[in-house]
Amino acid sequence: MSQNGKPKVAFFDFTSCEGCQLTVVDSLQDHPDLLAAVEIVQFREAMSEKGEDYLVAFIEGSCTRESDEARLKKIREQASIVVALGSCAHLGGVNSLKYLHPLDEVRRYVYGDQADWYDTYDVRPIEAVIPVDFVIPGCPIDRQEFISAVKALLLGKKPFIPDYPLCVECKLKENTCLFTRGKVCMGPVTRAGCDAICPTYGQSCEACRGFISNPNETAMRDVLTKHGLTVEGLTSMYTMFTTYQVRETLLQRKNANE
Amino acid sequence: MNKRIDVHHVTRVEGHGNIVVEIEDGRIKECRLDVVETPRFFEAMLRGRPYQEASHITSRICGICATGHATASLRASEKALSVEPSEQTQLLRKLTFHGEILDSHVLHAYMLVAPDFLGVGSVIPLATSHPEVVLRALRMKKLAGDICAVVTGRHTHPIAMCVGGFTHFPKPAELENLHQRLVAARADVDETVALFATLHWPQFERDTEYVSLTKPDEYAFIDGEIITSDGARLPAEAYRQVTNEHLVTHSSAKHTRHLRQSYMVGALARFNNNYPQLHPRAKEAAATLGLKPKVTNPYLNSAAQVVEIVHCVEDAIAIIDRLLERGITSEQPAPVKAIPGEGVGVCEVPRGLLIHHYWIGEDGNMTGADCVIPTNQNLANLEADMLALTPLIAEKPIKTMQLDLEMLVRAYDPCISCSVHVLEVEPK
Amino acid sequence: MTDELQIFLPEMARIAQIEQLTALEKLFTIELPAGRSLDHRPGQFVEVSFLGIGEAPISISSSPSRSNGTFELCVRKAGDVTGALHRLMPGDRIGIRGPFGHGFPIEHFRGKDMLFAPGGLGLAPARSLINQVLDERAQFGRVIILYGARTPSELLFKDELKRWGERNDVELYLTVDRGDETWDGHIGVITTLFKDISINPRNTVAVTVGPPVMYRFVLMELLGKGIPEGNIWLSLERRMKCGVGKCGHCQINNIYTCQSGPVFSYRDIKGLEEAL
Amino acid sequence: MSLTILQKSELSDFIHRLMPHYRVVGPVESNGGYAFDEIADPDALRLDYPTTILPPKKYLLPPRETLFKFDRTNGGYLEPAPQDRPTVIFGVHTCDLHAIQLLDAVFSTGFPDPHYLERRNRTLIVGIECLRPCDEHSFCKSMGTLTAEEGYDLHLIDLGDAYAVDIGTSEGHDLLGLYASTTPAKPGEMQRLNAVISEKWPKFPYRLEFDVSDLPSLLSLSAKSPLWAELGERCLACAACTNVCPTCFCFDVKDEIELDLRRGERVRIWDSCQLDEFATVAGGHNFRKSRALRQRHRFMRKGKYILEAHKHLGCVGCGRCARACLVDITPVGVFNELYRQQEAGSTL
Ligand SMILES: Cc1cc2nc3c(=O)[nH]c(=O)nc-3n(C[C@H](O)[C@H](O)[C@H](O)COP(=O)(O)OP(=O)(O)OC[C@H]3O[C@@H](n4cnc5c(N)ncnc54)[C@H](O)[C@@H]3O)c2cc1C
Ligand code: SF4
Ligand code: SF4
Ligand code: SF4
């Protein structure tokens, strides 16, 4: 807490497009009072001042090399609350496409088998390195959700991040389902919270917010294949942002079977 | 005299870069901008993915010029697949592109550059000392973002753009609303020009080669030929003759050079090369700001951005007029006429010339990609400027030197996360 | 919209007193504005608001016979609302709606032996009825209380338990799942207490309140002792968002727990597919 | 029932005259389909629409609605929710009319819900008679909702170039009297009306294989059917079915607050029994953990529980959930399958 009673927050970036930080800046357009509610002590993209004393750390970007780990751990030591900001930090995100050669494995994920993964320093979400208290998902994050999360933290409650499928929001938007428009969509297994913005603008959901915690994978696979998706198509749908999750799930299944 | 400047992670720029300047016995030993951003292998990531995904993946190269990357990507795919977008598609793309240029320039000019001139470390203290300035910036940024949102769903990582067209169309009422707001924003634009006309730009001149796209009848942002201030003019497809990308040891980003050791892209290059095509009001603004081609002070890149803010607002108004006049139809994307194929898409994103070069296989999957990013093209020139500037300021206190150098780096508006795309994948 | 019609608008009440009962539970004494009495029945609950965070259903833990213009809520820190309540101080204000639900039909219990078998936090609502019964002691037969918690430190209302234990007209049996050095009493889950008591099943009303997992086992004991299904009473927990039979969260088959319950006789719910 | 005639050419004027006084909503083209939306231009109204994704319920029980506003600094000053403008809903199909009657019952029994009822009292409903099935998913005829005796202020029947207007309430009568120019029905128009109505019925198929009055008992007998488990395997728990349902009314209640942490409001938002957390309580216990149990709950509610609690069936046969479900879980399919299972079981 700073002297004026405002909690000190800092923003950090790792491997990312910095679009989530930009979204934070954008959120000021509708919520200039954010600056009155918190004291920002570090935000490299937008300011030169640097404070090392902060309560909440918002971290953007994935961990992509060993040297990132030390920096992450330092942040974790200082911050009481660590929030992963956006898909790269939350899931590994689009960065994890970098290692996407083993399409076979993803295929096996989708088809429920186990797989062998090679071991390498891979792109990883920050939660794979340090404990994360909260996540604000999305590529990029949703402005409104960011502001709501800040308010929740200020109030001392957990930020509300939905754990139900995107279709919930998509229906309320009264979108004609993409599946009936001859496209396919990850909505039924993807975490809602973006107000189904992609289907609303006519594009398939690519699961940038990650999967819900209890997806019906089998039913989803049946739906996708029924709508003409080939194995390659399926693979590509499942890996845009979630390569890391798919791998992890597979590894867990493999270990569980051993 | 010994001096060492080491700015570890220049702030208020996009991405991570360090300034290292070392002066030993009055001799410049080191003078460089290290790009320490993690390589992101975007070109490798594209390989094997369906071409429809390419623009979604490449927009994630950079949150600030996401629309620019998406547009260049779509143009590359369209060229590769002989897709001819409709007039409506072209107008909508230009409109959202203006939104992004405005957003980026306002962000850069007001939030990243202005604090240096007003003697503060960021925009946050400005909120108390110059609230009207900050509110104006936020207002203009919001309008810019809303232009993108109306056309493509959102600015960062646009949604509704696809190969051949759009998957969602703005309603006339939404466009009318934007039109009104743009007209009303002229007041803010005038204030902006007035504000930047009062700034004391550092005096530093160094002529270089200025490279940009050009089109005969409009100030080129999407498509066009590549033109340079040294007189070269060539089709986009021949971009490699200009860019000559090469790796340097201290940077995870590639550098480029053309006729000289280095060249400059961005608002200043566009201004120098395409001044005649600027909107008359933008030319007036240039006069107010004291700009006349050819401008060779790199610090004035920020002033050229202000000129472009004027141009984009005016051109956006004209585009909306045109769209409303012809009506918006929910048309299907233009069809793919040939597959496989190879294509080059070029745009002038906020920071300069952006090139996406794609190879698409028979199955519709990407077999190769090459992206040339404006910041990479600028890095060599920026270092050349640093090298030329350092002796001129070597007598100043180290803090001032450091600030001058940082301001120079910021003037280029470098987008370092864009610049690191080391791995190139050519079709086998 | 007149205020009487407002079913979602809480009344701002004052916290008169807060007592820390265990590490996780606090007892709040609440005063309604203008000294108004809550007029509740044992077994009813209120919806407690922390404005800005939300609402949570909480059983009224005090008995109407001891109202004094205040009532008590025993709150376990379980999440956002309850966590926020735990950060409050005496004098702070909270929103109250209710009382909601049917309480225990105490008029049907008079003249009967009362067997209470609350588990854990279940003592909070049970206490309201127990104290009512004790305040009208002459109107009831035996009063037997079997109470279990996971550990000695999790036992609620220890002073009150002590007082009950000291009365010769109350038969109190305590147990903990896991003992410690402070504990020389019975160890075992609550059902292990049943073998020690003998009752007249025809004249006994049993009241059990506890976590969902407990009911199946306690019911087996109670039915095993021959208590008629209509004389076994329990209080069901469900997620609740309105308390007024609209939001659907507490629905068990065709009934709304908040309206038809939360107190039910076993006879009423045993036919409901999802009740237990 | 009293009848008058409104020429189609007069409809636009009628709506224009309503607009200063009411929010006028009705079906319009949207997103390649149809949706109820506010009418800015009467010509956009599509009274011959087949169906919409969301039912007109959204104007009576909005997806998000303020219950009250508060200010925490001011001793928790509470302020009741603002009111919507009075509304006229055009083009409500008979299935939706039945659904609204159910909602009326739900929100007026027990504790009457002032938010719903206020809005309902300020809403006038103009129904439209369905002359052909929306599509292959509707099963209104089986559910007995292909006609509505009440539940509307005005009801329109398309006679070709005019609507026969059936006046259901005195408010409807006044609305027509004040804002529309109508003519009394002539004998020829009465004949056309009769013809239109009698021609429509054969166009609608019965889709349940049993009489709907047997549905509650069929469900009672089916609590242990293996079908629920099978539905649980298939269901995505996406809540599309309940979100588009005209009779679903479950909601969640949340607080929203401004950045100053002082002013805020309590809102209710649609919730769904198909979602994982719907019946989860503190401590993590979920009373309907499996998708199978949740599906069973859904269909039991539609065909039995709601009827027991509110005297109306919880399903009106609109077919919206069937259209919305990606894994083809449909009431007709489920009810018929249960029926077949029962038949097979009872003849064993
Ligand atoms: C009739 C009744 C009487 C109760 N009496 C008491 C009592 O006397 N003392 C006491 O401490 N607790 C009591 N509870 C439980 C108490 O309501 C929950 O612990 C509380 O709602 C959790 O809210 P929260 O905001 O603190 O937790 P949250 O942060 O909202 O959530 C924590 C968990 O609680 C669940 N939950 C959320 N809302 C509810 C809800 N309305 N009901 C149940 N679970 C919910 C969530 O699924 C989540 O898993 C009672 C519950 C009911 C239904
Ligand atoms: S478009 Fe996608 S998110 Fe929307 S309903 Fe269909 S599957 Fe769900
Ligand atoms: S619709 Fe899907 S891809 Fe789009 S923002 Fe939402 S979660 Fe991300
Ligand atoms: S719409 Fe279908 S898949 Fe979704 S919850 Fe309903 S039954 Fe399940």
Side-chain angles (χ1 to χ4, degrees), chain A residues 158, chain C residues 25 43-47 53-61 73-84 121 124-125 235-241 250 257-258 262, chain D residues 277 279-285:
Chain A
K158 46 187 181 310
Chain C
E25 278 105 0
Q44 285 190 300
F45 65 95
V46 288
E47 286 281 351
I53 295 195
E55 262 190 336
I58 303 289
S59 307
I60 302 151
S61 188
L73 303 173
C74 169
V75 180
R76 170 178 292 177
K77 195 158 108 182
D80 287 339
V81 175
T82 50
L121 189 56
S235 177
L236 296 185
E237 187 185 355
R238 283 296 183 278
R239 195 182 182 106
M240 289 178 188
K241 283 294 169 188
C250 72
T257 311
C258 68
Chain D
E277 285 182 15
T280 307
V281 295
H285 187 84

Side-chain angles (χ1 to χ4, degrees), chain A residues 166 190-191 194 196-199 205-209, chain B residues 154:
Chain A
L166 191 73
T190 301
R191 185 182 294 278
C194 58
I197 189 168
C198 295
C205 169
E206 295 165 324
C208 78
R209 296 173 55 86
Chain B
R154 63 186 172 203

